[in-house]
């Protein structure tokens, strides 16, 4: 009987020991994950030192969760391009320095876009469309402000359509800013070129670079003019229910594709690819919204003192953050590839 009575006590002791071991292993697992995360941060988020410095600076600027994820995607694209350029340079395939100059311009665009270029008038361009911001944000262009004001008061748009139109206006604002950055770069290059007294082979190379920059400017200006005409038409007439695409970047690409030197079969194939691209963008937007919601919820839970609840929210937030970064990179890479194909088609038109 004594042995029987001892069994429950023994079982309880074994359970306590097992719980202690489980707690120990759980603690060790968490410590292992923390150590792995620490090593990853120590190694750097990116393989290019300059990009790591920008990323570290951005995290001190208190950017929103969505904006930070967007910056991460931009820097990953920049990293991919810089590593590809280093291989080209090692093989002697960028003798004129054109690709290196374009990399510098692209990085300048990123720095300006996120208010990290050191200029007081630098403003963040909201490409995420998560927060409303339509009243407090500005378009920095009297023509755009006038069109937007008319559209808002016209009664031709539902709330959902107004949100969609606002995204198009903001996208147009970003295109103008990128054009101005490129224009400023070209102007500086031209000024330094004019100051050269004795023409040389090096100056011939620089002229070729300038020619390519002017072509890029021409393409961007064409896109801006087409975009403005579209905004003017939509603002006055409302949305066409038969419109094929809704996402501003896809609309831009489709308008430019129709002007490029594509066969009917190539254009149809491009149309189908744009449909897949738009679906990818919509999925990215979904995760951006979820990330923003998760970030707000995490801030709320931090004030409650509930550690279990906080840890669960941190895990979800970390998962959404990584997924948003990953999708953002895929969207930007796909956009880059599609834009390159259209650019080649437009160049054929000029030949």
């Amino acid at each position: 009987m004594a042995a029987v009575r001892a069994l429950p006590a023994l079982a309880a002791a074994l359970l306590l020991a097992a719980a202690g071991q489980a707690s120990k292993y759980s603690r060790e697992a968490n410590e292992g994950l923390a150590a792995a995360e620490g090593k990853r941060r120590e190694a750097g988020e990116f393989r290019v030192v300059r990009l790591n410095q920008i990323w570290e600076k951005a995290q001190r600027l208190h950017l929103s969760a969505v904006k930070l994820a967007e910056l991460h995607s931009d820097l990953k694209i920049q990293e991919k391009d810089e590593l590809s350029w280093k291989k080209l340079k090692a093989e002697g395939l960028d003798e004129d320095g054109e690709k290196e100059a374009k990399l510098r311009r692209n990085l300048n665009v990123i720095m300006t876009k996120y208010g990290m270029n050191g200029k007081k008038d630098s403003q963040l361009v909201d490409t995420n469309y998560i927060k409303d911001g339509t009243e407090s944000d500005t378009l920095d262009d009297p023509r755009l402000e006038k069109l937007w004001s008319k559209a808002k008061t016209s009664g031709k748009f539902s709330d959902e359509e107004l949100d969609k139109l606002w995204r198009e206006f903001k996208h147009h604002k970003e295109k103008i800013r990128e054009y101005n950055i490129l224009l400023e770069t070209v102007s500086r290059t031209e000024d330094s070129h004019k100051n050269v007294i004795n023409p040389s082979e090096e100056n011939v190379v620089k002229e070729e670079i300038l020619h390519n920059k002017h072509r890029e400017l021409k393409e961007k200006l064409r896109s801006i003019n087409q975009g403005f005409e579209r905004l003017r038409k939509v603002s006055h007439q409302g949305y066409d229910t038969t419109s094929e695409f809704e996402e501003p970047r896809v609309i831009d690409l489709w308008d430019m594709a129709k002007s490029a030197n594509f066969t009917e079969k190539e254009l149809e194939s491009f149309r189908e690819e744009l449909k897949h691209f738009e679906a990818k963008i919509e999925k990215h937007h979904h995760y951006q919204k979820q990330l923003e919601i998760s970030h707000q919820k995490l801030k709320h839970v931090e004030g409650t003192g509930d550690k279990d609840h906080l840890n669960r929210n941190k895990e979800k937030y970390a998962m959404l953050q990584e997924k948003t970064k990953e999708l953002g990179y895929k969207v930007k890479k796909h956009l880059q590839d599609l834009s390159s194909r259209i650019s080649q088609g437009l160049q054929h038109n000029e030949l």
Side-chain angles (χ1 to χ4, degrees):
M1 289 294 292
V4 173
R5 283 196 301 271
L7 282 174
L10 178 61
L14 288 170
L15 283 171
L16 284 171
Q21 280 295 100
S23 177
K24 177 187 174 185
Y25 291 143
S26 176
R27 186 172 65 254
E28 287 176 354
N30 288 334
E31 287 171 357
L33 286 171
E37 176 68 11
K39 284 181 180 178
R40 187 181 68 79
R41 288 183 179 177
E42 189 178 337
E45 191 76 20
F46 302 94
R47 287 179 285 172
V48 179
V49 174
R50 177 174 44 177
L51 301 184
N52 270 321
Q53 291 169 343
I54 293 170
W55 178 243
E56 288 165 8
K57 179 182 177 183
Q59 291 179 96
R60 295 193 297 269
L61 292 178
H62 305 296
L63 298 176
S64 71
V66 172
K67 185 64 70 176
L68 206 55
E70 191 78 359
L71 171 61
H72 191 277
S73 302
D74 281 332
L75 292 178
K76 287 299 284 185
I77 290 290
Q78 182 74 14
E79 177 185 55
K80 175 184 71 71
D81 291 343
E82 290 202 18
L83 292 175
S84 297
W85 168 75
K86 283 180 180 178
K87 287 183 182 177
L88 287 176
K89 189 180 179 185
E91 295 167 7
L93 297 177
D94 189 31
E95 291 182 3
D96 58 6
E98 180 192 347
K99 288 181 174 60
E100 183 180 9
K102 188 169 184 179
L103 282 172
R104 283 200 300 269
R105 290 201 303 276
N106 290 345
L107 189 60
N108 193 10
V109 169
I110 292 172
M111 298 289 280
T112 303
K113 179 177 174 181
Y114 296 94
M116 299 170 67
N117 62 346
K119 294 183 180 179
K120 290 182 179 179
D121 61 342
S122 178
Q123 296 176 359
L124 295 180
V125 180
D126 186 2
T127 57
N128 300 307
Y129 325 127
I130 304 301
K131 297 178 181 175
D132 182 18
T134 52
E135 298 303 324
S136 59
D137 212 343
T138 59
L139 294 166
D140 298 336
D141 184 322
R143 294 187 309 166
L144 293 180
E145 296 282 5
K146 189 175 179 181
L147 279 181
W148 173 243
S149 179
K150 281 186 177 180
K152 279 196 301 181
T153 55
S154 67
K156 294 177 182 176
F157 301 94
S158 65
D159 288 344
E160 187 178 340
E161 286 174 333
L162 272 178
D163 287 342
K164 177 181 166 185
L165 183 60
W166 178 249
R167 293 201 300 270
E168 290 201 48
F169 272 97
K170 295 293 289 179
H171 175 63
H172 193 79
K173 173 185 173 179
E174 185 175 347
K175 286 199 300 184
I176 292 172
R177 169 163 297 192
E178 289 184 7
Y179 174 82
N180 287 334
I181 292 170
L182 179 59
L183 182 62
E184 185 182 343
T185 307
V186 171
S187 299
R188 285 201 305 266
T189 309
E190 283 181 333
D191 288 342
S192 63
H193 187 65
K194 286 174 185 176
N195 292 331
V196 175
I197 299 172
N198 298 318
S200 64
E201 187 177 337
E202 184 182 347
N203 290 319
V204 173
V205 170
K206 286 183 178 178
E207 282 182 7
E208 180 63 24
I209 294 174
L210 274 173
H211 174 73
N212 289 331
K213 285 181 180 177
H214 278 291
R215 186 175 64 232
E216 192 179 346
L217 273 172
K218 188 177 178 182
E219 287 175 13
K220 285 186 180 294
L221 189 58
R222 181 194 288 121
S223 175
I224 287 170
N225 288 335
Q226 285 180 341
F228 182 77
E229 281 306 305
R230 171 182 163 73
L231 285 174
R232 188 184 61 77
K233 183 180 176 182
V234 172
S235 297
H236 284 91
Q237 299 177 11
Y239 276 110
D240 181 1
T241 54
T242 62
S243 180
E244 211 159 353
F245 302 107
E246 293 188 4
E247 159 60 36
R249 284 169 289 185
V250 180
I251 293 167
D252 265 358
L253 288 169
W254 180 235
D255 286 343
M256 292 179 74
K258 288 185 287 187
S259 305
N261 190 29
F262 291 141
T263 65
E264 193 172 325
K265 187 177 179 181
E266 287 172 334
L267 197 59
E268 183 57 35
S269 173
F270 200 81
R271 184 206 304 263
E272 289 304 311
E273 191 169 349
L274 285 178
K275 288 179 182 177
H276 292 300
F277 180 51
E278 187 164 61
K280 192 181 288 184
I281 291 174
E282 287 170 3
K283 186 177 181 182
H284 182 222
H285 281 167
H286 168 75
Y287 273 94
Q288 285 181 316
K289 289 174 185 175
Q290 292 304 308
L291 179 64
E292 181 66 27
I293 292 167
S294 177
H295 185 246
Q296 294 300 327
K297 192 173 181 181
L298 182 61
K299 286 198 293 187
H300 171 73
V301 173
E302 281 175 342
T304 65
D306 186 338
K307 289 186 178 180
D308 288 339
H309 197 191
L310 179 61
N311 286 335
R312 286 197 300 274
N313 276 273
K314 279 184 176 179
E315 286 174 11
K316 185 178 180 182
Y317 175 71
M319 180 275 290
L320 287 170
Q321 197 175 37
E322 288 307 309
K323 190 67 179 176
T324 307
K325 287 177 185 177
E326 177 192 337
L327 282 169
Y329 173 76
K330 287 179 179 178
V331 165
K332 289 175 189 296
K333 188 176 182 301
H334 200 168
L335 176 61
Q336 195 179 51
D337 294 341
L338 292 168
S339 300
S340 176
R341 283 166 54 188
I342 290 177
S343 181
Q344 290 169 12
L346 291 170
Q347 284 177 39
H348 283 304
N349 286 352
E350 295 175 0
L351 296 177

